[in-house]
Amino acid sequence: MEAQLQVGFYRDKCSAAESIVKNEVRKAFFKDMGIAPGLMRLHFHDCFVRGCDGSVLIDSTPKNVAEKDAPLNVITLRGTEVIDSAKARLEAQCKGVVSCADILAFATRDAVELAGGFSWAVLAGRRDGRVSNASETIDIPGPFSNLDQITQSFAKKGLTQEEMVALVGAHTIGRSHCLHFSDRLYNFSTSSSQDPSLEPLYASQLKLQCPRGRQGSVNPNLVVQMNLSPALMDSSYYADILLRRGLFKSDQALTTSLFTARQVKAYAVNGLLWQDDFVRAIMKMSQIDMMTGIDGEIRSNCRVINK
Ligand code: HEM
Protein backbone atom coordinates (compact mmCIF):
# COMPACT_ATOMS: atom_id res chain seq x y z
CA MET A 1 0.00 0.00 0.00
CA GLU A 2 1.25 3.48 -0.81
CA ALA A 3 2.42 5.39 2.26
CA GLN A 4 0.55 8.61 3.05
CA LEU A 5 1.54 11.82 4.73
CA GLN A 6 0.24 12.27 8.25
CA VAL A 7 -0.01 14.87 10.98
CA GLY A 8 2.37 14.09 13.85
CA PHE A 9 4.51 11.84 11.64
CA TYR A 10 7.60 12.36 13.84
CA ARG A 11 5.80 11.95 17.19
CA ASP A 12 7.46 8.60 17.92
CA LYS A 13 10.55 8.91 15.73
CA CYS A 14 11.77 12.39 16.72
CA SER A 15 9.28 14.02 19.03
CA ALA A 16 10.99 17.43 19.09
CA ALA A 17 11.16 17.71 15.30
CA GLU A 18 8.46 20.34 14.82
CA SER A 19 9.47 22.40 17.84
CA ILE A 20 13.12 22.47 16.77
CA VAL A 21 12.13 23.79 13.34
CA LYS A 22 9.78 26.36 14.88
CA ASN A 23 12.51 27.51 17.21
CA GLU A 24 15.01 28.05 14.37
CA VAL A 25 12.44 29.90 12.25
CA ARG A 26 11.53 32.16 15.19
CA LYS A 27 15.16 33.01 15.91
CA ALA A 28 15.80 33.86 12.27
CA PHE A 29 12.53 35.80 11.89
CA PHE A 30 13.25 38.09 14.81
CA LYS A 31 16.62 38.94 13.26
CA ASP A 32 15.15 39.43 9.76
CA MET A 33 11.43 39.29 9.00
CA GLY A 34 12.28 38.69 5.33
CA ILE A 35 12.89 35.08 6.30
CA ALA A 36 9.12 34.45 6.32
CA PRO A 37 8.52 35.28 2.64
CA GLY A 38 11.83 33.66 1.78
CA LEU A 39 10.81 30.31 3.25
CA MET A 40 7.35 30.36 1.70
CA ARG A 41 8.75 31.04 -1.79
CA LEU A 42 11.31 28.26 -1.30
CA HIS A 43 8.52 25.82 -0.48
CA PHE A 44 6.51 26.89 -3.56
CA HIS A 45 9.56 26.53 -5.82
CA ASP A 46 10.34 23.17 -4.24
CA CYS A 47 6.86 21.77 -4.76
CA PHE A 48 6.53 22.94 -8.37
CA VAL A 49 9.65 21.05 -9.48
CA ARG A 50 9.51 17.24 -9.02
CA GLY A 51 7.08 17.72 -6.14
CA CYS A 52 7.88 18.73 -2.54
CA ASP A 53 11.09 16.73 -2.26
CA GLY A 54 13.57 19.32 -1.01
CA SER A 55 15.19 19.49 -4.47
CA VAL A 56 15.37 23.29 -4.34
CA LEU A 57 17.74 23.03 -1.37
CA ILE A 58 20.43 21.05 -3.21
CA ASP A 59 23.61 22.92 -4.17
CA SER A 60 25.08 22.87 -7.67
CA THR A 61 28.18 20.73 -8.26
CA PRO A 62 30.85 20.98 -10.98
CA LYS A 63 28.78 18.46 -12.96
CA ASN A 64 25.27 19.73 -12.26
CA VAL A 65 23.53 23.10 -12.24
CA ALA A 66 20.88 22.74 -9.51
CA GLU A 67 17.43 24.39 -9.32
CA LYS A 68 18.64 27.10 -6.97
CA ASP A 69 21.00 28.39 -9.67
CA ALA A 70 18.34 28.65 -12.37
CA PRO A 71 17.79 32.28 -13.52
CA LEU A 72 14.52 32.76 -11.61
CA ASN A 73 16.06 31.47 -8.36
CA VAL A 74 19.67 32.61 -8.32
CA ILE A 75 20.20 35.74 -6.17
CA THR A 76 16.48 35.92 -5.30
CA LEU A 77 15.90 32.85 -3.09
CA ARG A 78 16.44 33.33 0.62
CA GLY A 79 16.01 31.32 3.81
CA THR A 80 18.09 28.20 3.08
CA GLU A 81 20.35 28.90 6.09
CA VAL A 82 17.33 28.45 8.38
CA ILE A 83 16.72 24.99 6.93
CA ASP A 84 20.43 24.20 7.39
CA SER A 85 20.44 25.20 11.05
CA ALA A 86 17.24 23.23 11.79
CA LYS A 87 18.67 20.23 9.96
CA ALA A 88 21.95 20.39 11.93
CA ARG A 89 20.03 20.34 15.23
CA LEU A 90 17.76 17.54 14.04
CA GLU A 91 20.67 15.40 12.86
CA ALA A 92 22.34 15.85 16.26
CA GLN A 93 19.17 14.76 18.02
CA CYS A 94 17.68 12.12 15.70
CA LYS A 95 20.10 11.20 12.96
CA GLY A 96 18.70 10.39 9.53
CA VAL A 97 15.03 10.74 10.50
CA VAL A 98 13.59 14.10 9.43
CA SER A 99 13.57 14.91 5.70
CA CYS A 100 14.62 18.29 4.33
CA ALA A 101 11.34 18.44 2.40
CA ASP A 102 9.38 18.15 5.67
CA ILE A 103 11.58 20.72 7.41
CA LEU A 104 10.70 23.18 4.62
CA ALA A 105 6.97 22.39 4.93
CA PHE A 106 7.09 22.92 8.72
CA ALA A 107 9.17 26.09 8.36
CA THR A 108 6.67 27.56 5.87
CA ARG A 109 3.80 26.97 8.29
CA ASP A 110 5.84 28.57 11.10
CA ALA A 111 6.75 31.54 8.90
CA VAL A 112 3.08 32.20 8.08
CA GLU A 113 2.17 31.91 11.75
CA LEU A 114 4.78 34.54 12.65
CA ALA A 115 3.85 36.90 9.83
CA GLY A 116 0.10 36.35 9.79
CA GLY A 117 -1.00 34.85 13.09
CA PHE A 118 -2.76 31.88 11.49
CA SER A 119 -1.60 28.32 11.21
CA TRP A 120 -2.37 24.70 10.27
CA ALA A 121 -1.31 21.14 11.08
CA VAL A 122 1.36 20.01 8.61
CA LEU A 123 1.04 16.59 7.03
CA ALA A 124 4.51 15.03 7.07
CA GLY A 125 6.41 11.97 5.92
CA ARG A 126 7.90 13.36 2.68
CA ARG A 127 11.15 11.87 1.49
CA ASP A 128 13.98 13.80 -0.13
CA GLY A 129 14.67 13.61 -3.84
CA ARG A 130 18.06 12.86 -5.38
CA VAL A 131 17.75 15.10 -8.46
CA SER A 132 17.89 18.88 -8.81
CA ASN A 133 18.19 20.27 -12.28
CA ALA A 134 18.03 23.98 -13.18
CA SER A 135 16.30 23.27 -16.49
CA GLU A 136 13.27 21.79 -14.71
CA THR A 137 12.38 25.12 -13.08
CA ILE A 138 10.57 25.79 -16.35
CA ASP A 139 7.50 24.46 -14.47
CA ILE A 140 7.47 27.54 -12.21
CA PRO A 141 5.35 30.38 -13.66
CA GLY A 142 7.10 33.67 -14.37
CA PRO A 143 5.99 37.24 -13.50
CA PHE A 144 5.41 38.13 -17.15
CA SER A 145 2.71 35.46 -17.57
CA ASN A 146 -0.95 36.12 -18.36
CA LEU A 147 -3.92 34.51 -16.62
CA ASP A 148 -4.14 31.53 -18.98
CA GLN A 149 -0.47 30.75 -18.57
CA ILE A 150 -0.56 30.91 -14.77
CA THR A 151 -3.77 28.92 -14.61
CA GLN A 152 -2.25 26.23 -16.80
CA SER A 153 0.96 25.94 -14.83
CA PHE A 154 -1.02 25.45 -11.60
CA ALA A 155 -3.37 22.99 -13.33
CA LYS A 156 -0.33 20.96 -14.38
CA LYS A 157 0.36 20.50 -10.67
CA GLY A 158 -3.23 19.56 -9.87
CA LEU A 159 -4.23 22.95 -8.48
CA THR A 160 -7.40 24.75 -9.59
CA GLN A 161 -7.63 28.35 -10.68
CA GLU A 162 -9.37 29.23 -7.40
CA GLU A 163 -6.53 27.63 -5.44
CA MET A 164 -4.04 29.58 -7.55
CA VAL A 165 -5.79 32.88 -6.78
CA ALA A 166 -5.69 32.07 -3.05
CA LEU A 167 -2.04 31.00 -3.14
CA VAL A 168 -0.61 34.05 -4.90
CA GLY A 169 -1.92 36.04 -1.94
CA ALA A 170 1.49 34.99 -0.55
CA HIS A 171 2.69 38.10 -2.39
CA THR A 172 1.33 40.12 0.50
CA ILE A 173 4.75 39.69 2.12
CA GLY A 174 8.29 40.05 0.92
CA ARG A 175 10.16 41.80 -1.81
CA SER A 176 10.87 41.69 -5.51
CA HIS A 177 13.87 42.58 -7.58
CA CYS A 178 13.15 45.42 -10.03
CA LEU A 179 13.97 43.26 -13.05
CA HIS A 180 10.81 41.26 -12.49
CA PHE A 181 8.55 44.17 -13.37
CA SER A 182 10.72 46.96 -14.86
CA ASP A 183 9.39 46.14 -18.35
CA ARG A 184 6.09 47.60 -17.11
CA LEU A 185 7.77 50.92 -16.33
CA TYR A 186 9.92 51.56 -19.39
CA ASN A 187 9.51 50.82 -23.12
CA PHE A 188 6.38 48.79 -22.43
CA SER A 189 5.08 48.82 -26.00
CA THR A 190 5.21 50.84 -29.18
CA SER A 191 2.10 52.78 -28.15
CA SER A 192 2.84 53.27 -24.45
CA SER A 193 6.09 53.53 -22.48
CA GLN A 194 4.29 52.40 -19.32
CA ASP A 195 1.95 49.46 -18.77
CA PRO A 196 -1.55 51.04 -18.90
CA SER A 197 -2.82 48.47 -16.39
CA LEU A 198 -0.44 49.90 -13.76
CA GLU A 199 -1.80 52.77 -11.65
CA PRO A 200 0.23 55.88 -12.68
CA LEU A 201 1.16 57.12 -9.19
CA TYR A 202 2.35 53.66 -8.20
CA ALA A 203 4.30 53.44 -11.46
CA SER A 204 6.10 56.69 -10.66
CA GLN A 205 6.97 55.45 -7.15
CA LEU A 206 8.35 52.26 -8.66
CA LYS A 207 10.39 54.26 -11.17
CA LEU A 208 12.04 56.16 -8.33
CA GLN A 209 12.94 52.88 -6.63
CA CYS A 210 14.06 51.24 -9.86
CA PRO A 211 15.75 53.97 -11.91
CA ARG A 212 17.41 53.24 -15.22
CA GLY A 213 21.18 53.64 -15.37
CA ARG A 214 23.17 55.34 -18.13
CA GLN A 215 22.88 52.34 -20.43
CA GLY A 216 19.12 52.30 -19.95
CA SER A 217 19.16 49.15 -17.82
CA VAL A 218 17.98 48.69 -14.23
CA ASN A 219 20.43 47.57 -11.53
CA PRO A 220 19.69 43.84 -11.02
CA ASN A 221 20.30 44.09 -7.27
CA LEU A 222 17.62 46.69 -6.55
CA VAL A 223 14.52 45.49 -4.70
CA VAL A 224 11.12 46.88 -3.72
CA GLN A 225 8.63 45.71 -1.12
CA MET A 226 5.65 43.70 -2.34
CA ASN A 227 3.18 46.09 -0.70
CA LEU A 228 2.83 48.67 2.09
CA SER A 229 2.91 46.01 4.82
CA PRO A 230 5.55 43.59 3.50
CA ALA A 231 5.98 41.80 6.84
CA LEU A 232 2.28 41.27 7.54
CA MET A 233 0.53 38.26 6.03
CA ASP A 234 -2.89 39.80 5.37
CA SER A 235 -5.21 40.07 2.38
CA SER A 236 -4.09 43.59 1.39
CA TYR A 237 -2.50 42.08 -1.72
CA TYR A 238 -6.00 41.75 -3.19
CA ALA A 239 -6.94 45.32 -2.33
CA ASP A 240 -3.74 46.45 -4.10
CA ILE A 241 -4.74 44.58 -7.22
CA LEU A 242 -8.14 46.25 -7.27
CA LEU A 243 -6.32 49.60 -7.13
CA ARG A 244 -4.22 48.47 -10.13
CA ARG A 245 -1.21 48.21 -7.84
CA GLY A 246 -0.32 44.61 -8.60
CA LEU A 247 3.47 44.50 -8.89
CA PHE A 248 3.81 41.84 -11.57
CA LYS A 249 1.92 41.45 -14.79
CA SER A 250 0.91 38.02 -13.39
CA ASP A 251 -0.54 39.67 -10.24
CA GLN A 252 -2.58 42.22 -12.18
CA ALA A 253 -3.73 39.41 -14.50
CA LEU A 254 -6.06 38.21 -11.73
CA THR A 255 -8.48 40.98 -12.69
CA THR A 256 -8.60 39.99 -16.35
CA SER A 257 -11.44 37.49 -15.98
CA LEU A 258 -14.77 38.10 -14.28
CA PHE A 259 -14.41 34.88 -12.35
CA THR A 260 -11.00 35.60 -10.82
CA ALA A 261 -11.82 39.29 -10.33
CA ARG A 262 -14.83 38.27 -8.23
CA GLN A 263 -12.57 36.13 -6.02
CA VAL A 264 -10.05 38.99 -5.68
CA LYS A 265 -12.85 41.32 -4.54
CA ALA A 266 -14.11 38.79 -1.99
CA TYR A 267 -10.62 38.36 -0.47
CA ALA A 268 -9.96 42.10 -0.44
CA VAL A 269 -12.90 42.67 1.90
CA ASN A 270 -12.81 39.39 3.81
CA GLY A 271 -9.37 38.48 5.10
CA LEU A 272 -10.67 35.46 7.03
CA LEU A 273 -12.17 33.96 3.90
CA TRP A 274 -8.78 34.29 2.21
CA GLN A 275 -6.94 32.74 5.21
CA ASP A 276 -9.21 29.68 5.09
CA ASP A 277 -8.79 29.25 1.34
CA PHE A 278 -5.05 29.93 1.52
CA VAL A 279 -4.55 27.27 4.20
CA ARG A 280 -6.51 24.68 2.22
CA ALA A 281 -4.60 25.50 -0.95
CA ILE A 282 -1.14 25.49 0.61
CA MET A 283 -1.85 22.16 2.31
CA LYS A 284 -2.68 20.80 -1.12
CA MET A 285 0.37 22.41 -2.71
CA SER A 286 2.52 20.78 -0.01
CA GLN A 287 1.46 17.36 -1.26
CA ILE A 288 2.28 17.76 -4.95
CA ASP A 289 3.91 14.58 -6.29
CA MET A 290 5.08 13.63 -2.82
CA MET A 291 7.59 10.86 -2.31
CA THR A 292 6.94 8.71 0.73
CA GLY A 293 7.73 5.31 2.26
CA ILE A 294 11.00 3.94 0.94
CA ASP A 295 11.31 6.21 -2.11
CA GLY A 296 14.09 8.79 -2.18
CA GLU A 297 16.14 9.29 0.98
CA ILE A 298 16.54 11.32 4.15
CA ARG A 299 19.38 13.64 3.25
CA SER A 300 21.86 14.23 6.06
CA ASN A 301 22.80 17.63 4.66
CA CYS A 302 19.98 19.40 2.82
CA ARG A 303 22.45 20.83 0.30
CA VAL A 304 23.98 17.52 -0.74
CA ILE A 305 22.55 14.22 -2.04
CA ASN A 306 23.61 11.31 0.19
CA LYS A 307 26.57 9.25 -1.11
C1 HEM B 1 1.61 33.18 -10.69
C2 HEM B 1 2.37 32.61 -9.86
C3 HEM B 1 3.59 33.29 -9.30
C4 HEM B 1 4.52 34.08 -9.91
C5 HEM B 1 4.57 34.50 -11.36
C6 HEM B 1 5.46 34.50 -8.89
C7 HEM B 1 6.56 35.30 -9.12
C8 HEM B 1 7.35 35.84 -8.12
C9 HEM B 1 8.45 36.74 -8.34
C10 HEM B 1 8.98 37.19 -9.69
C11 HEM B 1 8.92 37.12 -7.12
C12 HEM B 1 10.04 38.13 -6.83
C13 HEM B 1 11.32 37.43 -6.40
C14 HEM B 1 12.45 38.42 -6.26
O1 HEM B 1 12.67 39.17 -7.21
O2 HEM B 1 13.12 38.44 -5.21
C15 HEM B 1 8.12 36.47 -6.14
C16 HEM B 1 8.27 36.61 -4.79
C17 HEM B 1 7.56 35.88 -3.86
N1 HEM B 1 6.68 34.87 -4.13
FE1 HEM B 1 5.86 34.44 -5.91
N2 HEM B 1 5.07 33.96 -7.70
C18 HEM B 1 3.95 33.21 -7.90
C19 HEM B 1 3.27 32.47 -6.97
C20 HEM B 1 3.65 32.34 -5.66
C21 HEM B 1 3.11 31.39 -4.72
C22 HEM B 1 2.06 30.34 -5.05
C23 HEM B 1 3.74 31.60 -3.54
C24 HEM B 1 3.60 30.88 -2.24
C25 HEM B 1 2.59 30.15 -1.86
C26 HEM B 1 4.65 32.71 -3.73
C27 HEM B 1 5.40 33.29 -2.76
C28 HEM B 1 6.24 34.37 -2.93
C29 HEM B 1 6.84 35.10 -1.85
C30 HEM B 1 6.55 34.92 -0.37
C31 HEM B 1 7.69 36.05 -2.43
C32 HEM B 1 8.60 37.05 -1.72
C33 HEM B 1 9.97 36.42 -1.59
C34 HEM B 1 10.98 37.18 -0.76
O3 HEM B 1 10.62 38.21 -0.17
O4 HEM B 1 12.13 36.73 -0.70
N3 HEM B 1 4.59 33.11 -5.03
N4 HEM B 1 7.17 35.68 -6.78
Side-chain angles (χ1 to χ4, degrees), residues 123-250:
L123 294 159
R126 293 170 194 78
R127 306 267 299 173
D128 294 325
R130 291 179 52 82
V131 177
S132 178
N133 197 320
S135 63
E136 294 181 349
T137 55
I138 192 110
D139 278 0
I140 301 171
F144 313 110
S145 318
N146 63 30
L147 185 59
D148 276 350
Q149 292 165 325
I150 318 168
T151 304
Q152 273 166 31
S153 62
F154 278 70
K156 236 175 111 182
K157 303 293 166 188
L159 295 162
T160 65
Q161 189 179 59
E162 279 120 308
E163 287 162 343
M164 179 275 287
V165 174
L167 279 169
V168 288
H171 287 173
T172 175
I173 56 173
R175 65 172 192 198
S176 169
H177 290 72
C178 295
L179 289 181
H180 287 134
F181 55 85
S182 52
D183 66 312
R184 304 183 72 200
L185 308 176
Y186 309 107
N187 295 336
F188 182 69
S189 68
T190 44
S191 55
S192 160
S193 68
Q194 217 164 278
D195 184 343
S197 70
L198 191 59
E199 194 267 309
L201 184 62
Y202 185 47
S204 44
Q205 286 162 355
L206 291 174
K207 277 182 173 165
L208 287 175
Q209 292 173 279
C210 304
R212 279 195 298 187
R214 269 202 221 118
Q215 316 289 345
S217 55
V218 173
N219 179 338
N221 297 314
L222 288 177
V223 295
V224 305
Q225 300 179 336
M226 287 289 201
N227 75 8
L228 288 175
S229 52
L232 181 67
M233 185 85 183
D234 60 9
S235 73
S236 59
Y237 165 81
Y238 299 99
D240 287 344
I241 290 180
L242 293 177
L243 295 169
R244 297 195 293 136
R245 288 169 165 248
L247 191 54
F248 306 133
K249 194 175 159 215
S250 59

Side-chain angles (χ1 to χ4, degrees), residues 267-279:
Y267 291 158
V269 295
N270 189 345
L272 291 178
L273 175 71
W274 168 67
Q275 278 181 15
D276 274 0
D277 288 356
F278 178 83
V279 166

